[in-house]
Amino acid sequence: MPLPASVSILIPMRNESANVNEILKSVDLQKNLESFEIITLNDSSTDNTSDLITKFNFNSRSIAIEGKTLPTGWLGKNYACHQLALASDAKYLVFIDADVRLSPSAISAAIKTMELNDWDYISPYPAQIAETPLELLIQPLLQWSWFATVPLSIAQRFRIPAMAVANGQFLIVKRTSYFISGGHEKIKNEVIDDIELARLLLKFGFKGGVAEGSAIASCRMYQSATELINGYRKSLWRAFGSPFGSIVAISLLTLSSIMPIIYAMSGSLIGWVGFLAIVTSRFITAFRTKSRWESALLHPLSVALLIALICWSWIGKIRGDLKWRDRKV
């Protein structure tokens, strides 16, 4: 049965010529939606993103808007999402990154899950596509970090902002909840906008959470090692709240993921038990989330690289030289 509620699919794009056709095809083919529109925003692209959007042959109602000049105090994606939300009057706002690919029933299935749980927002976590060696070592940690370490049922039931998990690659929120909470305008300079938006919604008493979305969505975030390093560098400094939070996270990651193999290699049985336990959690996560499993046995190396990226991100923050998409963060 088609979903009767109105839906706006909102796609911010900046220099996304490699993704335009595939993401638009993906959302244009959505099924089981009685009333939906696709709104794209070209965010001052210097490639042919705007031309590709204009030339795309939509079957659905579509609106293409040109982003305004980025105001002082805003980060680029946050301002783009803010403009997209203002351009829509639908009941559900569906924010999607250009590198995401959806199954034909992805949006209707996600909204039905929202309605079933009486949620105000949902963040279906896409399968993370990893192909290069560095991607294979780092990207599976995304699902593992929330699937294996965050007690989601507790966080979602009691609406605990500090334990909020979300992924801005694919995030759906009721329009009323979005604007009552302040939306992206309230978090205009937050580099980790997805988690901060989820925290904001929870603080205002709204309900929602992350959902395992690998069956309905996929995403390849980065196309090269350089892109991956720069992408994580721009935001990891903020991931744990403060320098102290980063130190605590690094300490816990070292104790749980690196020390066991060190003790194991020195002949400790407890070390082997700890190593096998953490590797097992990686395999379970990979199975449940359809993510890559090949690097599970290299988990200590993956975590060591992640710690290096956290430190490199803080160095960039201290130096003030963090950039993303040619804009200073």
Side-chain angles (χ1 to χ4, degrees), residues 24-261:
L24 294 184
K25 185 189 303 181
S26 177
V27 297
D28 195 40
L29 294 175
Q30 287 301 294
K31 297 178 180 178
N32 302 322
L33 296 175
E34 193 170 289
S35 173
F36 79 99
E37 63 183 358
I38 300 166
I39 308 179
T40 59
L41 181 140
N42 175 44
D43 185 13
S44 303
S45 296
T46 56
D47 62 7
N48 63 335
T49 292
S50 182
D51 291 337
L52 290 171
I53 294 172
T54 301
K55 293 175 182 177
F56 188 84
N57 185 25
F58 287 95
N59 293 311
S60 312
R61 180 172 183 266
S62 66
I63 302 171
I65 60 179
E66 291 292 321
K68 298 178 182 178
T69 302
L70 185 65
T72 302
W74 282 84
L75 291 183
K77 182 182 177 182
N78 296 346
Y79 190 52
C81 289
H82 172 68
Q83 293 176 81
L84 284 163
L86 290 176
S88 164
D89 59 2
K91 178 179 179 179
Y92 290 101
L93 307 180
V94 183
F95 294 99
I96 300 180
D97 284 355
D99 48 12
V100 172
R101 306 292 179 260
L102 301 179
S103 72
S105 60
I107 293 175
S108 61
I111 292 176
K112 286 176 181 176
T113 299
M114 280 180 69
E115 294 179 339
L116 182 65
N117 289 286
D118 192 26
W119 283 359
D120 300 286
Y121 75 93
I122 190 171
S123 178
Y125 214 111
Q128 299 299 308
I129 306 302
E131 296 183 6
T132 64
L134 191 58
E135 287 177 279
L136 286 169
L137 286 168
I138 296 296
Q139 292 304 91
L141 295 178
L142 290 174
Q143 274 109 334
W144 174 79
S145 66
W146 67 264
F147 190 84
T149 63
V150 179
L152 292 177
S153 60
I154 295 174
Q156 292 168 358
R157 180 175 181 180
F158 295 101
R159 308 180 200 177
I160 304 173
M163 299 173 68
V165 180
N167 187 336
Q169 296 170 350
F170 183 16
L171 192 149
I172 306 175
V173 59
K174 290 181 180 177
R175 177 184 176 81
T176 52
S177 305
Y178 177 85
F179 282 105
I180 288 173
S181 67
H184 285 90
E185 186 172 19
K186 197 78 170 181
I187 56 166
K188 59 185 177 182
N189 62 352
E190 291 289 351
V191 67
I192 306 181
D193 58 287
D194 43 16
I195 292 178
E196 292 301 329
L197 181 59
R199 286 175 178 164
L200 182 66
L201 288 161
L202 292 173
K203 287 177 182 177
F204 272 78
F206 296 114
K207 295 184 293 183
V210 71
E212 206 293 287
S214 61
I216 60 173
S218 63
C219 177
R220 187 179 181 193
M221 292 176 65
Y222 307 114
Q223 302 295 317
S224 68
T226 300
E227 274 193 17
L228 185 147
I229 291 170
N230 290 336
Y232 278 97
R233 190 180 188 231
K234 82 175 188 306
S235 58
L236 276 177
W237 66 271
R238 189 69 179 89
F240 307 103
S242 66
F244 177 74
S246 295
I247 291 171
V248 171
I250 289 171
S251 299
L252 291 174
L253 286 169
T254 301
L255 288 172
S256 66
S257 300
I258 297 177
M259 294 306 297
I261 192 61

